[in-house]
Amino acid sequence: MASQGEKGELHKKIDQLEKENRRLRVLLDVANSLQAELELDKLLFKIMEEVAEILDADRCTVFLYDKERNELWSLVAMGLQKGEEIRFPADKGIAGHVAQTGEILNIPDAYQDPRFNPEIDKKTGYRTRSILTMPLYNKMHEIIGVFQILNKRNGPFTKDDENLLAAISQIAATAIENAQLYDEQVKSLDSFIETLSATLDTRDYITAGHSRRVTEYTLALADAMGVDEEFKRQLRYAGLLHDIGKLKIPESVLFKADKLTPEEFEIIKLHPQVTREILSKIHFQRKLKDVPEIAATHHERLDGTGYPEGLKGEEIPFGGRMICLVDVFDALTSERQYRDRAPLEKVWDIVEKETGTTFDPRCVEAFKTIPAGRIIEIMEHQRQEDFNQAEIERLYQVPIIDIIEIKRKAPESRTPQESEILETFDKYYWRDY
Amino acid sequence: MASQGEKGELHKKIDQLEKENRRLRVLLDVANSLQAELELDKLLFKIMEEVAEILDADRCTVFLYDKERNELWSLVAMGLQKGEEIRFPADKGIAGHVAQTGEILNIPDAYQDPRFNPEIDKKTGYRTRSILTMPLYNKMHEIIGVFQILNKRNGPFTKDDENLLAAISQIAATAIENAQLYDEQVKSLDSFIETLSATLDTRDYITAGHSRRVTEYTLALADAMGVDEEFKRQLRYAGLLHDIGKLKIPESVLFKADKLTPEEFEIIKLHPQVTREILSKIHFQRKLKDVPEIAATHHERLDGTGYPEGLKGEEIPFGGRMICLVDVFDALTSERQYRDRAPLEKVWDIVEKETGTTFDPRCVEAFKTIPAGRIIEIMEHQRQEDFNQAEIERLYQVPIIDIIEIKRKAPESRTPQESEILETFDKYYWRDY
């Protein structure tokens, strides 16, 4: 016969085990969930949401420690706009105190604590009550950030909350470090491609800045078409690298300001093929696998008379057709040593004449809808500090085709508004500022 | 009063909870452990070891599914040498069956199962008894690989083993995918730098292959000095990129085969500074942060008479001093349009003369110990298919300084062995094969 006491003990044990079980399940869920996200900003957002929910609190913020600048920062904070960043010296406020000392602070009433800085509450109208703040350590036991949880729903944070958060911190810290390492790698490749492209751009005084502008126009066109982020990333790399094949064209031909001989033109025409050869040797990640093909087809023409392959219509990847259009647009609207940019309406006459033969009509249609302000920003990038922002914003209200059509009208048949917007546009197009 | 039956129920419940608790702890440990490893080969090895231990089995192998080649492969398998790779068609054997069907196979006695292929046992002398094989799914429920566990220590694998392995599989699959993504990123940057360097190398017919050889000599020197892998990675990137600044030197100066005018030489001397400018714009990961500085100091001289900074002695990063030496060595031992490579003993006279003024004596000392075979392999890389491998191996037994010293002796005072090794070396040095 079991005594009542014995039974009580057993029930107590079961309660304990069940509690521990729930705790382990939560941790395992957290581990699985965090592990699945390798992109730093998404990961941080996920951590903040999950931890607030698990601890039944109102808000959670992960502050990361930026060692070089000795600052704490948070990329996306709950209650702020996505993309906003908070950044402050690593010795300020509660989070700073925790980052400096490694102490865990469990504060039941923020306004009773002298370390609490009520400034942010004043700005945001939020009312902080309880705070739980805990350091985040990496494997080498260096502080890499701070967890801050605000306003537990029922009373202050408990010792159990502290323990659970400590266990979550471990899991989160590794996930954050992985995401940071991944992020660094992505940034390395990205900055390498961008720097190389910019270097090649400045090397050629005739077409200085060409690859950069082609890339920006292509992305403007992509936005006009509403393509997805993954395709945009491919377009960006293909744009930056489309002329990399020119590395193997002799400068005496490449930088010749005069008209090329037919033989020299044949040499120039080798460059998209060389672009393909170079890019196809690069181990692009799966999401970027079309970059070489897009970059290498920017001189193909819809009717099959382009080079190097003479591809026709749908044989040309859509990204190649996009770059083909903006490449010509940039060539015609760029200054040259020996001439100013061509008048925009003449440029567009040429584009329209070639629509359906050289250019894909869908690209041309979408290009028309790009805001004139964006075109000017790209075209005149190097003079951006002289821009009048109000005027540029005004030009953002008008698609580029409207400017072209106003230009095509006889001056006397333009409305005053039309004359005014055209004057603003021409001011930048002809650099009269 | 509680009845005996009630008490039994409570104990049963406690047992269950304790068992579940242990299971959750194991899974959490696995999650923490796997999450901490972002390098694919180390991760796979860790998974294999941990799973074998947890399931009390003799061996575990993770086969990854290579979709493009429709093959299963394992980079490091328990019981194989590190670095060895198993690879077979994705429809072969037990693992292939599981990869194709997604079935879980729990086989108590392999030799009773017709799908089992005893060939590998025959080769290795290993005796397979029980097998548990399970598919690995990613988040999109695509099969990314197969878990195979061999020879449970006490009897066949149980249903509990299956359940535990299924839960581990989920954790492992995400860790593997993260590591693969990271791996892809590393490979992207690496292949980009390598391809760019090779492109710049072939562009200049005068010094074709220079950056490649400089990189290889630097790594040979690094091996002679026993530096760590991380420093070697920096040296490799710095070697591949040390002349990237030449991108901004006009070809008319850069590719001039005749003697340069003093003005032209001043232009050439700008290149390490441009290398620094280009590389400093790149967001290298922390482990690679010295690459720009190493690459930009390859024309500094120990006595401070080098360029662009005129740095002295310890002010020059050690990597820069290494590249400085091999850069000169390569220039002197390369063919030019207008001359063959210089005799090795003359090259070394120049190096010795400049030791302590241009070159760091420690680099020179270490260079002497590089195997002659390795020097020939680097120098004559493009003709490697014409090599007699036995001769190259023979040259691997001799440090390069021995060849130099034999060359410096009068022919009549050389031993027959010395004459023989010199003849072999000269055959490749003077391309008489």
Side-chain angles (χ1 to χ4, degrees):
Chain A
M1 289 293 243
S3 74
Q4 205 58 14
E6 254 184 294
K7 207 180 130 194
E9 284 298 311
L10 293 175
H11 275 292
K12 210 169 137 193
K13 174 112 192 189
I14 287 173
D15 284 348
Q16 262 176 0
L17 283 168
E18 277 176 340
K19 193 173 150 195
E20 176 63 8
N21 233 302
R22 277 194 301 274
R23 199 183 91 99
L24 290 168
R25 270 180 213 283
V26 165
L27 291 176
L28 197 57
D29 279 351
V30 171
N32 280 330
S33 156
L34 299 191
Q35 199 199 14
E37 190 53 67
L38 206 51
E39 282 178 50
L40 186 61
D41 52 352
K42 288 186 194 164
L43 173 72
L44 293 175
F45 200 66
K46 198 186 240 184
I47 293 174
M48 296 191 268
E49 282 194 322
E50 291 213 358
V51 170
E53 200 195 315
I54 290 165
L55 293 193
D56 196 23
D58 196 27
R59 259 179 212 195
C60 168
T61 308
V62 179
F63 294 104
L64 292 185
Y65 179 48
D66 180 340
K67 208 171 168 180
E68 274 164 40
R69 296 165 66 170
N70 196 36
E71 287 176 342
L72 289 171
W73 65 277
S74 174
L75 189 64
V76 271
M78 289 176 76
L80 283 179
Q81 293 284 6
K82 197 183 148 99
E84 264 189 79
E85 186 182 304
I86 309 173
R87 193 173 261 280
F88 53 89
D91 54 4
K92 285 277 179 302
I94 304 278
H97 179 88
V98 170
Q100 295 298 307
T101 60
E103 264 181 69
I104 295 169
L105 290 185
N106 185 346
I107 300 170
D109 184 355
Y111 283 84
Q112 300 301 315
D113 195 295
R115 290 163 300 198
F116 177 69
N117 174 6
E119 285 307 310
I120 296 169
D121 273 13
K122 262 187 209 158
K123 267 187 227 157
T124 59
Y126 187 78
R127 171 77 191 182
T128 306
R129 297 186 315 271
S130 55
I131 308 181
L132 175 58
T133 309
M134 186 170 286
L136 269 168
Y137 292 99
N138 68 7
K139 283 159 262 167
M140 273 95 75
H141 206 70
E142 298 159 340
I143 289 183
I144 61 160
V146 166
F147 251 130
Q148 182 148 291
I149 298 104
L150 301 184
N151 292 3
K152 186 168 166 91
R153 297 234 165 74
N154 302 308
F157 292 99
T158 64
K159 193 75 198 162
D160 274 353
D161 291 334
E162 282 181 39
N163 291 339
L164 187 60
L165 188 61
I168 292 174
S169 295
Q170 264 190 39
I171 298 164
T174 316
I176 289 169
E177 285 216 300
N178 285 350
Q180 283 176 325
L181 280 170
Y182 183 72
D183 196 48
E184 266 198 341
Q185 284 298 334
V186 173
K187 276 195 190 133
S188 287
L189 179 65
D190 204 69
S191 65
F192 201 92
I193 289 176
E194 204 161 279
T195 305
L196 177 69
S197 174
T199 304
L200 296 177
D201 261 7
T202 55
R203 173 171 162 259
D204 179 352
Y205 58 89
I206 300 176
T207 58
H210 172 71
S211 299
R212 181 187 202 288
R213 289 191 305 269
V214 160
T215 307
E216 301 278 327
Y217 287 133
T218 307
L219 293 178
L221 188 54
D223 286 340
M225 297 184 136
V227 311
D228 65 25
E229 283 305 309
E230 221 162 84
F231 187 40
K232 270 177 79 174
R233 216 172 142 226
Q234 300 212 74
L235 288 173
R236 185 164 166 273
Y237 278 11
L240 288 170
L241 296 168
H242 77 287
D243 271 348
I244 195 176
K246 288 191 174 168
L247 261 179
K248 292 188 89 173
I249 308 297
E251 283 173 6
S252 54
V253 179
L254 198 60
F255 298 169
K256 192 178 172 187
D258 302 326
K259 209 170 153 49
L260 297 171
T261 66
E263 295 73 33
E264 286 169 340
F265 189 58
E266 287 306 310
I267 294 175
I268 290 274
K269 279 169 72 177
L270 293 171
H271 83 270
Q273 178 56 30
V274 182
T275 290
R276 188 199 309 269
E277 280 163 25
I278 294 174
L279 298 187
S280 64
K281 281 183 200 130
I282 294 164
H283 180 99
F284 283 111
Q285 54 167 311
R286 267 162 290 174
K287 284 191 250 173
L288 294 173
K289 70 174 172 34
D290 296 330
V291 168
E293 197 52 26
I294 296 172
T297 52
H298 72 278
H299 281 295
E300 299 292 351
R301 297 165 48 119
L302 215 59
D303 63 6
T305 63
Y307 58 90
E309 304 278 336
L311 299 176
K312 261 192 183 170
E314 296 292 318
E315 292 169 358
I316 311 165
F318 200 75
R321 283 177 261 164
M322 291 168 77
I323 298 182
C324 174
L325 172 62
V326 306
D327 190 50
V328 170
F329 182 82
D330 183 63
L332 295 172
T333 57
S334 290
E335 306 159 65
R336 291 285 185 271
Q337 255 59 23
Y338 48 94
R339 64 156 169 82
D340 207 331
R341 41 175 73 109
L344 184 63
E345 66 277 21
K346 296 220 171 129
V347 170
W348 204 251
D349 285 345
I350 296 170
V351 168
E352 283 186 344
K353 206 172 133 239
E354 298 280 326
T355 300
T357 48
T358 301
F359 308 124
D360 187 314
R362 282 169 297 170
C363 295
V364 175
E365 277 312 302
F367 195 93
K368 288 179 183 173
T369 70
I370 298 174
R374 186 145 181 201
I375 300 272
I376 288 295
E377 275 187 343
I378 298 168
M379 198 174 268
E380 287 288 279
H381 168 77
Q382 284 174 308
R383 300 182 183 92
Q384 278 204 356
E385 51 226 36
D386 300 324
F387 284 4
N388 175 328
Q389 276 313 314
E391 288 176 341
I392 299 295
E393 271 164 43
R394 179 85 185 78
L395 291 175
Y396 255 93
Q397 308 309 314
V398 187
I400 191 69
I401 190 62
D402 283 10
I403 303 287
I404 296 164
E405 277 169 4
I406 298 169
K407 276 177 178 280
R408 281 170 171 173
K409 283 187 188 174
E412 58 277 13
S413 57
R414 292 171 191 153
T415 68
Q417 290 92 327
E418 284 176 342
S419 299
E420 194 210 313
I421 196 85
L422 184 59
E423 202 182 312
T424 308
F425 182 84
D426 276 348
K427 176 177 156 183
Y428 293 98
Y429 195 81
W430 298 113
R431 289 169 311 288
D432 186 22
Y433 52 95
Chain B
M1 288 297 242
S3 73
Q4 204 60 14
E6 256 183 293
K7 204 180 134 193
E9 284 300 310
L10 292 176
H11 275 293
K12 210 171 137 192
K13 174 111 192 192
I14 286 172
D15 284 349
Q16 262 176 357
L17 283 168
E18 276 175 342
K19 193 175 152 194
E20 177 61 9
N21 241 311
R22 277 194 300 275
R23 200 182 91 97
L24 288 168
R25 269 179 216 284
V26 165
L27 290 177
L28 197 58
D29 279 351
V30 171
N32 280 329
S33 157
L34 299 191
Q35 199 199 16
E37 191 52 69
L38 206 52
E39 281 178 51
L40 186 60
D41 53 351
K42 289 187 193 162
L43 173 71
L44 292 175
F45 200 67
K46 197 185 241 186
I47 294 174
M48 297 192 268
E49 283 194 321
E50 292 214 358
V51 169
E53 201 194 315
I54 290 166
L55 293 193
D56 196 24
D58 197 26
R59 258 180 212 195
C60 169
T61 308
V62 179
F63 295 104
L64 292 185
Y65 178 48
D66 180 339
K67 208 171 168 182
E68 273 164 42
R69 296 166 65 170
N70 197 33
E71 287 175 344
L72 289 170
W73 67 276
S74 175
L75 189 65
V76 274
M78 289 176 75
L80 281 180
Q81 294 284 4
K82 197 184 145 92
E84 262 188 84
E85 183 182 306
I86 309 173
R87 193 174 263 279
F88 54 89
D91 53 3
K92 285 277 178 302
I94 303 278
H97 179 87
V98 169
Q100 296 298 308
T101 60
E103 264 181 72
I104 295 168
L105 289 185
N106 185 347
I107 299 170
D109 185 354
Y111 283 83
Q112 300 301 315
D113 194 296
R115 291 164 299 199
F116 178 70
N117 173 7
E119 283 308 309
I120 296 169
D121 272 13
K122 260 186 210 156
K123 268 189 224 155
T124 58
Y126 187 78
R127 171 79 190 181
T128 305
R129 295 187 313 274
S130 56
I131 307 181
L132 176 58
T133 309
M134 185 169 290
L136 268 167
Y137 291 100
N138 68 7
K139 283 159 261 167
M140 273 94 77
H141 206 72
E142 297 159 340
I143 289 183
I144 62 161
V146 167
F147 253 129
Q148 182 148 288
I149 297 104
L150 300 185
N151 290 4
K152 187 170 166 92
R153 297 235 164 73
N154 301 309
F157 292 98
T158 63
K159 193 72 197 163
D160 274 352
D161 292 334
E162 284 182 37
N163 292 339
L164 187 61
L165 187 62
I168 293 174
S169 294
Q170 266 190 37
I171 298 164
T174 315
I176 289 169
E177 285 216 300
N178 285 350
Q180 283 176 325
L181 279 171
Y182 183 73
D183 197 50
E184 267 199 340
Q185 283 299 335
V186 174
K187 276 193 191 137
S188 286
L189 180 65
D190 204 69
S191 65
F192 201 94
I193 289 176
E194 205 161 280
T195 305
L196 178 69
S197 174
T199 304
L200 296 177
D201 261 7
T202 55
R203 173 170 162 259
D204 180 353
Y205 57 90
I206 299 177
T207 58
H210 172 71
S211 299
R212 183 190 199 287
R213 289 191 305 270
V214 161
T215 307
E216 300 278 326
Y217 287 134
T218 306
L219 293 178
L221 188 53
D223 286 339
M225 295 184 138
V227 311
D228 65 26
E229 282 305 308
E230 220 162 83
F231 187 39
K232 270 178 79 175
R233 220 177 138 223
Q234 299 211 74
L235 288 173
R236 185 163 166 274
Y237 278 11
L240 288 170
L241 295 170
H242 76 288
D243 272 348
I244 194 176
K246 287 191 175 167
L247 260 179
K248 293 189 86 174
I249 309 296
E251 284 175 7
S252 54
V253 178
L254 196 62
F255 298 169
K256 192 177 173 187
D258 302 326
K259 207 169 155 50
L260 296 171
T261 66
E263 295 74 32
E264 286 168 341
F265 189 56
E266 286 307 310
I267 294 175
I268 290 274
K269 279 170 70 176
L270 294 171
H271 82 270
Q273 178 57 31
V274 183
T275 290
R276 188 199 310 268
E277 281 163 23
I278 294 175
L279 297 188
S280 64
K281 282 184 200 128
I282 293 163
H283 180 101
F284 282 113
Q285 55 167 312
R286 265 162 292 176
K287 282 191 250 174
L288 295 172
K289 70 176 171 35
D290 297 330
V291 168
E293 197 53 26
I294 297 172
T297 53
H298 71 277
H299 282 295
E300 300 291 351
R301 298 165 48 119
L302 216 59
D303 63 6
T305 63
Y307 59 89
E309 304 277 336
L311 300 176
K312 261 191 181 171
E314 296 293 319
E315 292 169 356
I316 311 166
F318 200 74
R321 284 177 260 164
M322 292 168 76
I323 298 182
C324 175
L325 172 62
V326 305
D327 190 51
V328 170
F329 182 82
D330 182 64
L332 296 171
T333 57
S334 289
E335 306 159 66
R336 291 285 185 273
Q337 257 58 22
Y338 48 96
R339 63 157 170 81
D340 207 332
R341 41 175 72 111
L344 185 64
E345 65 279 21
K346 296 223 169 125
V347 170
W348 204 251
D349 285 346
I350 296 170
V351 168
E352 285 185 342
K353 206 173 134 238
E354 300 280 325
T355 300
T357 48
T358 302
F359 307 124
D360 187 314
R362 282 168 297 169
C363 294
V364 176
E365 276 313 302
F367 195 93
K368 289 179 183 173
T369 69
I370 299 173
R374 186 149 179 195
I375 299 272
I376 287 294
E377 276 186 343
I378 297 168
M379 198 175 268
E380 287 288 280
H381 167 78
Q382 285 174 308
R383 300 183 183 88
Q384 278 203 357
E385 53 227 36
D386 299 325
F387 284 4
N388 175 328
Q389 275 313 314
E391 288 176 342
I392 299 295
E393 272 165 41
R394 178 87 186 78
L395 290 176
Y396 255 93
Q397 309 309 314
V398 188
I400 191 70
I401 191 63
D402 283 10
I403 303 286
I404 295 164
E405 278 168 5
I406 299 167
K407 276 178 176 279
R408 281 169 171 172
K409 284 184 185 175
E412 58 276 15
S413 59
R414 293 173 190 153
T415 69
Q417 290 93 324
E418 285 175 343
S419 299
E420 193 209 315
I421 195 81
L422 184 58
E423 201 183 313
T424 307
F425 181 84
D426 276 348
K427 176 175 155 185
Y428 292 98
Y429 195 81
W430 299 113
R431 287 169 312 286
D432 186 21
Y433 54 96

